[in-house]
Amino acid sequence: MVIRLSERWPEVSSDRLLSECVPPPRFADARFATYRPNPEEPSQAEALAVLIERAKHLAQPRQTPSLWSRLRGRTPEAGKPGVYLDGGFGVGKTHLLASLWHEAAGPKMYCTFVELTNLVGALGLRAAVEALSSYRLICIDEFELDDPGDTMLITRLLGQLVAAGVQLAATSNTLPDKLGEGRFQAIDFLREIQALAANFDVRRIDGPDYRHRGLPEAPEPWTDERVERTAAERPATSCDHFVDLHHHLAQLHPSKYGALLDGVQAVAISDIRPLDDENVALRMVVLADRMYDRDLPLLASGVPLDQLFSAAMLKGGYRKKYLRALSRLIALSRTS
């Protein structure tokens, strides 16, 4: 029987959200030794060296902050409490972040920024601080602030965790003092961003997107009939009409999109259409991220994937999110 994502209604507990805070299967085997810096991009080797040194420090037993250091808001950990990897798509930032997590001593957690905000929403700020203050390291992939509410919430959370001695590591396509640029100009927002950025040692990683080196931007779409036939023939493959799928996503909290894919080995979507609604587009971005985490091949018909988001969207404030989603969806479609 063909799986219909649009007919699934998963429930996700806060315990599951916390237990799933580990690198996605795609990066389960990521290590510093398997990262291959581009010799033409020295910033990649430099970032690798910085993280290896930080990993050595994090592999040692955690020092308990003294009363004096707590009063001063500092911990015995060397340098700034966070490292921030900034760079374009597909230059290996997530590989390096996952490698750091694997090398560090526990307790530790790994999540995307969206997963972190969902976790705090499920637990509440106070309970989240209590639960996460015992962690040695928290790795946050795809750090991207979408609204001032998230900014205030996560800045407050991370500030309290840093004071408790937690080390941070994050990746993004936007420098921390530029997060939210082009979307919010509120003074309070900018003040929060500056406070957040002060916690990070920023490392820029340059280079072309490895997923697209020498490859076309998007493969030729399949026909609807081929998508539906192939989905019926392949085991554990979901198949949904694009409109049915995005209507269903609107009825689920994004924290449930991962559970929506439980037991699925490939995703088929027929009749993909261009989007011009920002809310629908952002939900598709989250789904694309969860599919990419699980390395699920994509079978698609309709418009080519590089036409999923309108030209206006690709010029707007969420441009980097949409480009990341396109990069990932196209990579998944090539594996089908």
Side-chain angles (χ1 to χ4, degrees):
M1 179 180 293
V2 175
I3 299 169
R4 304 290 182 189
L5 298 181
S6 54
E7 297 176 356
R8 289 185 159 192
W9 297 93
E11 292 297 328
V12 182
S13 67
S14 57
D15 287 342
R16 172 171 174 172
L17 290 175
L18 195 57
S19 68
E20 291 181 341
C21 290
V22 297
R26 171 182 287 270
F27 294 101
D29 297 323
R31 298 293 187 276
F32 291 129
T34 59
Y35 180 73
R36 297 288 180 265
N38 186 335
E40 298 181 0
E41 302 290 349
S43 62
Q44 295 185 14
E46 292 168 4
L48 174 62
V50 168
L51 288 188
I52 288 176
E53 285 303 311
R54 189 168 286 255
K56 291 178 181 178
H57 179 68
L58 287 167
Q60 303 300 317
R62 181 179 180 179
Q63 300 178 44
T64 302
S66 66
L67 175 61
W68 177 241
S69 65
R70 289 198 299 269
L71 291 174
R72 298 180 65 191
R74 298 177 183 176
T75 73
E77 306 282 11
K80 290 190 176 184
V83 60
Y84 189 100
L85 304 179
D86 172 71
F89 311 103
V91 295
K93 301 188 304 295
T94 300
H95 186 129
L96 289 172
L97 188 69
S99 299
L100 178 65
W101 185 91
H102 284 298
E103 295 288 339
K108 54 192 175 180
M109 69 177 286
Y110 182 107
C111 60
T112 65
F113 179 80
V114 170
E115 289 169 336
L116 181 61
T117 56
N118 290 339
L119 179 65
V120 177
L123 296 178
L125 180 61
R126 178 177 296 181
V129 171
E130 292 177 357
L132 303 182
S133 290
S134 63
Y135 282 71
R136 178 74 186 280
L137 170 69
I138 295 179
C139 295
I140 309 169
D141 201 13
E142 301 159 8
F143 209 110
E144 181 73 23
L145 300 176
D146 292 333
D147 62 66
D150 281 348
T151 304
M152 306 298 180
L153 179 69
I154 298 304
T155 301
R156 194 170 298 120
L157 171 72
L158 296 184
Q160 293 185 51
L161 295 180
V162 166
V166 179
Q167 290 278 297
L168 306 173
T171 72
S172 181
N173 303 307
T174 308
L175 290 169
D177 62 346
K178 300 295 184 182
L179 288 167
E181 191 174 70
R183 295 185 290 240
F184 311 112
Q185 299 299 327
I187 294 176
D188 289 344
F189 178 84
L190 296 176
R191 185 183 302 117
E192 294 287 344
I193 284 296
Q194 291 164 1
L196 185 63
N199 290 316
F200 291 101
D201 173 14
V202 178
R203 297 287 169 169
R204 173 75 189 181
I205 304 180
D206 298 308
D209 185 337
Y210 78 90
R211 290 185 292 268
H212 290 175
R213 290 170 190 165
L215 297 173
E217 290 189 358
E220 189 71 21
W222 290 8
T223 64
D224 291 347
E225 293 75 15
R226 184 184 177 191
V227 166
E228 293 166 4
R229 182 180 67 254
T230 305
E233 295 171 348
R234 294 178 60 162
T237 298
S238 68
C239 186
D240 294 87
H241 189 278
F242 182 66
V243 175
D244 293 338
L245 181 58
H246 76 65
H247 282 171
H248 188 62
L249 293 179
Q251 301 178 68
L252 293 176
H253 190 276
S255 65
K256 299 180 179 181
Y257 289 8
L260 190 67
L261 299 168
D262 283 353
V264 174
Q265 296 179 14
V267 174
I269 305 175
S270 62
D271 195 20
I272 290 179
R273 305 174 183 183
L275 295 175
D276 55 13
D277 184 311
E278 205 90 75
N279 292 319
V280 176
L282 289 172
R283 285 191 284 268
M284 291 303 300
V285 167
V286 177
L287 182 65
D289 288 341
R290 301 293 77 78
M291 290 170 57
Y292 187 78
D293 288 346
R294 291 157 176 77
D295 202 13
L296 300 179
L298 172 62
L299 292 63
S301 65
V303 300
L305 289 170
D306 55 11
Q307 297 177 25
L308 177 59
F309 305 117
S310 69
M313 286 181 173
L314 295 179
K315 295 179 181 177
Y318 296 107
R319 175 177 179 273
K320 289 183 172 64
K321 278 200 168 197
Y322 296 142
L323 291 176
R324 185 188 74 231
L326 290 179
S327 176
R328 292 182 166 185
L329 288 172
I330 289 171
L332 293 175
S333 70
R334 292 194 183 112
T335 67
S336 64

